Amino acid sequence: MAGTLEVQSGALLRMGDTGEAHSLTLLSGSTLAGTGTVVLNGPNRMVVPGDFDGPVFVDITDSRARLVMPGLYTVKTSRSMVGTVESAGVIIPTNVVFSVSSASLTGPVSVRNGGTLRTMGGTVNFGGPVLVEKGAQWLAEPSGQTLNLSGTVTNLGTLRWISANNTF
């Protein structure tokens, strides 16, 4: 898609599960505007040409769905997510709670001061290092989840992991 795609306040642009994979690809120089919601269900993906930190809410509701970008994904508002974010990194800023279950984050994850990462169930894959800054927190909820870490974890804040026996 070239040009501007506006998803107005209260509006939904839904990529439903039709059984076939579909892509919404924003070409270089295009703009995603508005404060509405893009919903990714099924094996669908949204491809962004650079960083993604816009006001449009992307709701990834299926473990087969993917948000793809060569740049950084900044989570602007608190939200829950399943599915995959393929990016150069994920930033969870101050006052944002990013809750993930049955998800994959392929790049580094940075939880900024005042931000919270919640892992809540299913298998959550981290393809790069995870940094929990001073004043930030990572809460691994006791819900039968599996965490796969492919990089280092640097904890300067609060890391709360509860396993079945409180051991790893």
Side-chain angles (χ1 to χ4, degrees):
M1 193 223 69
T4 299
L5 173 61
E6 182 177 1
V7 185
Q8 295 181 350
S9 178
L12 292 175
L13 174 58
R14 181 180 306 270
M15 295 181 68
D17 187 358
T18 63
E20 296 181 24
H22 300 282
S23 291
L24 170 59
T25 302
L26 303 177
L27 299 176
S28 183
S30 63
T31 304
L32 184 59
T35 57
T37 302
V38 175
V39 179
L40 299 176
N41 293 329
N44 297 311
R45 71 182 186 155
M46 180 173 160
V47 181
V48 180
D51 292 342
F52 184 74
D53 62 357
V56 172
F57 183 86
V58 178
D59 190 9
I60 306 172
T61 61
D62 189 304
S63 62
R64 300 169 295 164
R66 298 181 303 155
L67 177 59
V68 180
M69 71 205 69
L72 297 173
Y73 174 49
T74 301
V75 183
K76 287 292 208 175
T77 60
S78 294
R79 66 188 66 196
S80 296
M81 187 202 90
V82 298
T84 299
V85 175
E86 295 177 27
S87 67
V90 174
I91 297 171
I92 304 165
T94 300
N95 297 323
V96 169
V97 177
F98 188 42
S99 302
V100 294
S101 61
S102 300
S104 294
L105 306 173
T106 63
V109 175
S110 178
V111 187
R112 300 283 168 86
N113 180 10
T116 300
L117 170 63
R118 289 180 64 209
T119 49
M120 301 176 48
T123 298
V124 180
N125 299 299
F126 294 92
V130 179
L131 169 63
V132 181
E133 293 182 359
K134 182 178 180 181
Q137 56 184 348
W138 179 358
L139 307 175
E141 305 293 334
S143 56
Q145 64 187 294
T146 300
L147 300 175
N148 293 322
L149 301 164
S150 297
T152 59
V153 174
T154 303
N155 177 36
L156 304 174
T158 300
L159 183 58
R160 183 172 174 241
W161 286 9
I162 301 173
S163 70
N165 300 314
N166 291 327
T167 60
F168 292 92

